[in-house]
DNA sequence: CAAGAGATCATCT
DNA sequence: GATGATCTCTTGA
């Protein structure tokens, strides 16, 4: 069943943990694609220097300040999109970055969208995942209760996971060491160990 | 296999 | 005008 808005209104850490083992569904004219989430990161509030919203409320970060259960998609490095899910209460900027998923359905379609079609390389990283799932900024602000992009609970308990510091945020001072990255143990589909 | 460079642009100063 | 929540390819051991 589709995750309700109340799921995303929990604390960002809880959402990030509980997303592991949930299923990301992308409906698209080319075909539908489904992946099992195996890696997430939490970005929490205006004081978190790794969180874009620590720079203030701008056109780019506006979605993060909005209500939970919406997609925050941004473009970076001139090449890649990143998919986040807005969490917590309206007015408090926080989100969970989806970093990796295990391909489940629509694998052939994912391969056509990706350079390297090896199964383990289709969505093992936030940029790769957005390519495989055809996520771009047209989905920024999309409601996750809609039919284009959403998460599904298929009755699987949250798998065993571990926490590490987040990737690529060396500039974030004391926040760079916080264990806000969560990854499924024993999954070969994470971005890195 | 590890390390490094290059690609390329929206966003903020 | 600088930089980034990245990826791929190339290089060298």
């Amino acid at each position: 069943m589709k995750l309700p808005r109340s799921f995303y209104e929990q604390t960002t850490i809880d959402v990030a943990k509980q997303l592991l083992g949930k299923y990301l569904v992308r409906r698209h004219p080319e075909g539908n694609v489904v992946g099992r989430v195996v890696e997430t990161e939490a970005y929490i509030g205006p004081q978190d220097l790794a969180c874009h919203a620590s720079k203030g409320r701008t056109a780019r970060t506006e979605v993060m300040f909005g209500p939970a259960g919406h997609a925050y998609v941004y473009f970076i490095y001139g090449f890649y999109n990143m998919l986040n899910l807005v969490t917590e209460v309206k007015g408090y900027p926080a989100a969970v970055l989806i970093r990796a998923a295990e391909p489940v359905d629509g694998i052939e379609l994912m391969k056509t969208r990706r350079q390297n079609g090896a199964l383990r390389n289709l969505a093992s990283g936030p940029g790769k995942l957005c390519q495989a799932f055809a996520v771009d900024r047209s989905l920024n602000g999309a409601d996750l209760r809609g039919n284009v992009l959403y998460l599904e609970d298929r009755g699987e308990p949250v798998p065993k996971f571990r926490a590490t510091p987040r990737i690529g945020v060396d500039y974030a001072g004391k926040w760079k060491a916080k264990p806000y990255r969560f990854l499924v143990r024993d999954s070969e589909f994470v971005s890195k160990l």
Side-chain angles (χ1 to χ4, degrees), chain A residues 53-110:
Chain A
S54 66
K55 306 273 196 269
R57 186 167 185 158
T58 66
R60 180 206 212 187
T61 59
E62 184 61 28
V63 176
M64 262 202 285
F65 285 83
H70 292 254
Y72 166 46
V73 182
Y74 68 92
F75 186 68
I76 190 142
Y77 297 129
F79 280 88
Y80 299 103
N81 293 293
M82 302 280 125
L83 171 62
N84 302 257
L85 313 177
V86 177
T87 59
E88 307 205 28
V89 299
K90 182 178 175 183
Y92 185 79
V96 173
L97 170 69
I98 307 294
R99 284 191 58 88
E102 172 181 346
V104 174
D105 287 332
I107 292 174
E108 287 310 311
L109 180 53
M110 292 191 205

Side-chain angles (χ1 to χ4, degrees), chain A residues 90-157:
Chain A
K90 182 178 175 183
Y92 185 79
V96 173
L97 170 69
I98 307 294
R99 284 191 58 88
E102 172 181 346
V104 174
D105 287 332
I107 292 174
E108 287 310 311
L109 180 53
M110 292 191 205
K111 287 181 180 175
T112 66
R113 289 170 175 160
R114 296 268 310 126
Q115 292 290 325
N116 180 343
L119 194 58
R120 230 180 30 243
N121 201 42
L122 289 178
S124 54
K128 302 178 194 178
L129 182 144
C130 284
Q131 286 182 346
F133 283 73
V135 170
D136 60 30
R137 283 181 342 217
S138 68
L139 290 176
N140 190 35
D143 190 327
L144 299 173
R145 294 171 302 178
N147 278 326
V148 181
L149 181 72
Y150 57 89
L151 280 111
E152 218 173 64
D153 186 341
R154 296 193 171 181
E156 177 181 339

